[in-house]
Short mmCIF file of all heavy atoms in Angstrom, two decimals:
data_model
loop_
_atom_site.label_atom_id
_atom_site.label_comp_id
_atom_site.label_asym_id
_atom_site.label_seq_id
_atom_site.Cartn_x
_atom_site.Cartn_y
_atom_site.Cartn_z
N ILE A 7 -23.91 4.64 9.66
CA ILE A 7 -23.95 3.50 8.75
C ILE A 7 -24.46 2.28 9.51
O ILE A 7 -24.03 2.00 10.63
CB ILE A 7 -22.54 3.22 8.18
CG1 ILE A 7 -22.06 4.41 7.35
CG2 ILE A 7 -22.54 1.95 7.33
CD1 ILE A 7 -20.68 4.23 6.76
N SER A 8 -25.38 1.58 8.89
CA SER A 8 -25.90 0.36 9.50
C SER A 8 -25.01 -0.82 9.08
O SER A 8 -24.69 -0.98 7.90
CB SER A 8 -27.33 0.19 9.00
OG SER A 8 -27.80 -1.06 9.38
N LEU A 9 -24.58 -1.61 10.05
CA LEU A 9 -23.69 -2.74 9.79
C LEU A 9 -24.45 -4.03 10.12
O LEU A 9 -24.62 -4.38 11.28
CB LEU A 9 -22.42 -2.63 10.64
CG LEU A 9 -21.61 -1.33 10.46
CD1 LEU A 9 -20.55 -1.20 11.55
CD2 LEU A 9 -20.97 -1.28 9.07
N ALA A 10 -24.92 -4.70 9.09
CA ALA A 10 -25.84 -5.82 9.28
C ALA A 10 -25.17 -7.02 9.96
O ALA A 10 -25.81 -7.74 10.72
CB ALA A 10 -26.42 -6.25 7.93
N ASP A 11 -23.92 -7.24 9.68
CA ASP A 11 -23.23 -8.40 10.28
C ASP A 11 -21.74 -8.09 10.38
O ASP A 11 -21.29 -7.01 9.99
CB ASP A 11 -23.48 -9.66 9.44
CG ASP A 11 -23.10 -9.46 7.98
OD1 ASP A 11 -22.29 -8.55 7.69
OD2 ASP A 11 -23.63 -10.19 7.13
N SER A 12 -20.99 -9.06 10.89
CA SER A 12 -19.59 -8.75 11.17
C SER A 12 -18.79 -8.50 9.89
O SER A 12 -17.82 -7.74 9.92
CB SER A 12 -18.99 -9.79 12.11
OG SER A 12 -18.44 -10.83 11.43
N LYS A 130 -22.60 0.80 17.97
CA LYS A 130 -23.70 0.56 18.91
C LYS A 130 -24.43 -0.72 18.58
O LYS A 130 -24.78 -0.97 17.42
CB LYS A 130 -24.69 1.73 18.86
CG LYS A 130 -24.10 3.00 19.38
CD LYS A 130 -25.15 4.11 19.41
CE LYS A 130 -24.52 5.39 19.97
NZ LYS A 130 -25.35 6.55 19.67
N HIS A 131 -24.71 -1.51 19.61
CA HIS A 131 -25.54 -2.71 19.45
C HIS A 131 -26.97 -2.31 19.12
O HIS A 131 -27.53 -1.41 19.74
CB HIS A 131 -25.59 -3.49 20.76
CG HIS A 131 -24.30 -4.16 21.15
ND1 HIS A 131 -23.99 -5.44 20.77
CD2 HIS A 131 -23.26 -3.74 21.89
CE1 HIS A 131 -22.81 -5.78 21.27
NE2 HIS A 131 -22.34 -4.76 21.94
N GLN A 132 -27.56 -2.99 18.16
CA GLN A 132 -28.97 -2.77 17.84
C GLN A 132 -29.78 -3.97 18.36
O GLN A 132 -29.24 -5.05 18.55
CB GLN A 132 -29.17 -2.63 16.32
CG GLN A 132 -28.39 -1.49 15.68
CD GLN A 132 -28.78 -0.13 16.25
OE1 GLN A 132 -28.03 0.43 17.04
NE2 GLN A 132 -29.93 0.37 15.87
N ASP A 133 -31.08 -3.76 18.54
CA ASP A 133 -31.92 -4.82 19.11
C ASP A 133 -31.93 -6.09 18.26
O ASP A 133 -32.09 -7.19 18.77
CB ASP A 133 -33.36 -4.32 19.29
CG ASP A 133 -33.45 -3.31 20.44
OD1 ASP A 133 -32.52 -3.30 21.27
OD2 ASP A 133 -34.43 -2.55 20.47
N ASP A 134 -31.74 -5.94 16.95
CA ASP A 134 -31.78 -7.12 16.08
C ASP A 134 -30.43 -7.82 15.97
O ASP A 134 -30.26 -8.72 15.16
CB ASP A 134 -32.29 -6.73 14.68
CG ASP A 134 -31.35 -5.75 13.97
OD1 ASP A 134 -30.30 -5.39 14.56
OD2 ASP A 134 -31.66 -5.35 12.84
N GLY A 135 -29.46 -7.40 16.79
CA GLY A 135 -28.16 -8.06 16.78
C GLY A 135 -27.16 -7.42 15.83
O GLY A 135 -25.97 -7.76 15.86
N SER A 136 -27.61 -6.50 15.01
CA SER A 136 -26.69 -5.80 14.10
C SER A 136 -26.03 -4.64 14.87
O SER A 136 -26.21 -4.50 16.08
CB SER A 136 -27.44 -5.30 12.88
OG SER A 136 -28.31 -4.25 13.25
N ARG A 137 -25.25 -3.84 14.16
CA ARG A 137 -24.58 -2.70 14.79
C ARG A 137 -24.84 -1.44 13.97
O ARG A 137 -25.06 -1.50 12.76
CB ARG A 137 -23.06 -2.90 14.85
CG ARG A 137 -22.61 -4.21 15.45
CD ARG A 137 -22.80 -4.28 16.94
NE ARG A 137 -22.11 -5.45 17.50
CZ ARG A 137 -22.66 -6.65 17.66
NH1 ARG A 137 -23.93 -6.84 17.32
NH2 ARG A 137 -21.95 -7.64 18.17
N LEU A 138 -24.74 -0.31 14.64
CA LEU A 138 -24.81 0.98 13.98
C LEU A 138 -23.47 1.67 14.19
O LEU A 138 -22.93 1.64 15.30
CB LEU A 138 -25.93 1.81 14.62
CG LEU A 138 -26.57 2.88 13.76
CD1 LEU A 138 -27.31 2.21 12.59
CD2 LEU A 138 -27.56 3.67 14.60
#
Side-chain angles (χ1 to χ4, degrees):
I7 297 180
S8 171
L9 303 168
D11 54 22
S12 90
K130 293 184 179 164
H131 290 269
Q132 301 300 104
D133 289 341
D134 64 0
S136 70
R137 309 287 191 269
L138 206 65

